[in-house]
Amino acid sequence: MIRLEPFERSDFKQLIAWIDSPEFMVQWGGKTFSYPLTDQQLEHYINSDTLSYRVVYEENKEVIGHISLTPDPENQSGRIGKVIVGNKHLQGLGIGQQMIRQVLDIAFGQLKVHRVSLGVFDFNHAAIACYEKAGFVKEGMLREARKVGNEFWNLWEMGILEQEWLSKKINN
């Protein structure tokens, strides 16, 4: 249903359009990006160690999302980030689940990491459910980890180990 392809300069305009508020930028971009998202920020991003992907919907070849994986070879780990299903009509259809599975296949299958982590804000219930369904485990809550406006947001740290991924693949 989807495939991951390398994120390129030609994808900048689409991604910038999806990041439509400072609050969403905090959720999507973390500390890496500031609102508004710019070509210059994305240029630095694609020239970093992060593996960034556009998500292509196989049915019509439309770019519908984005996801990244930052390898940490020294610790045999990786971190998933920058996850978005930008086409709102396709949200809730399991696209996020497919994105996560494909990135985990790259991390564990190709890069041979031992562990993959991610962070997600505690109010993002759909994302948490998606990650848990993929085999991620909540490892700890970073309480009031980010200040957004006058609020503090809690962040769940989640992770999956290679043997958990293998077990999930075998059972699916």
Side-chain angles (χ1 to χ4, degrees), residues 16-156:
I16 288 169
W18 289 332
I19 311 302
D20 59 1
S21 73
E23 294 77 18
F24 188 70
M25 174 60 87
V26 172
Q27 289 185 66
W28 179 82
K31 296 178 182 177
T32 307
F33 296 106
S34 60
Y35 186 82
L37 188 58
T38 64
D39 287 355
Q40 292 80 13
Q41 291 178 71
L42 291 173
E43 188 68 39
H44 178 63
Y45 173 58
I46 65 170
N47 289 311
S48 71
D49 292 336
T50 297
L51 305 173
S52 54
Y53 302 96
R54 64 180 170 223
V55 180
V56 178
Y57 193 51
E58 291 281 4
E59 188 174 301
N60 61 8
K61 311 298 184 232
E62 177 188 358
V63 175
I64 60 162
H66 183 89
I67 192 166
S68 73
L69 175 66
T70 304
D72 177 357
E74 182 179 335
N75 293 301
Q76 262 186 285
S77 65
R79 186 160 181 91
I80 292 175
K82 316 300 179 268
V83 180
I84 184 174
V85 178
N87 182 323
K88 306 260 189 249
H89 296 99
L90 296 174
Q91 292 177 352
L93 300 177
I95 302 286
Q97 190 67 213
Q98 293 175 50
M99 292 164 57
I100 296 298
R101 282 192 191 121
Q102 288 188 29
V103 167
L104 289 176
D105 286 346
I106 293 167
F108 292 116
Q110 294 175 26
L111 300 178
K112 306 296 184 199
V113 302
H114 174 71
R115 177 179 191 281
V116 175
S117 65
L118 57 81
V120 59
F121 290 105
D122 67 343
F123 56 80
N124 193 343
H125 303 291
I128 293 167
C130 172
Y131 302 145
E132 288 178 331
K133 189 172 182 183
F136 280 83
V137 174
K138 288 178 179 171
E139 296 178 332
M141 167 79 71
L142 300 177
R143 299 177 307 137
E144 299 185 359
R146 295 279 165 74
K147 186 170 193 258
V148 181
N150 293 321
E151 296 181 336
F152 288 93
W153 291 359
N154 298 324
L155 183 76
W156 277 111

Side-chain angles (χ1 to χ4, degrees), residues 149-168:
N150 293 321
E151 296 181 336
F152 288 93
W153 291 359
N154 298 324
L155 183 76
W156 277 111
E157 275 297 315
M158 300 181 77
I160 184 171
L161 302 176
E162 181 181 21
Q163 63 268 25
E164 295 165 337
W165 169 76
L166 282 171
S167 175
K168 191 86 173 154

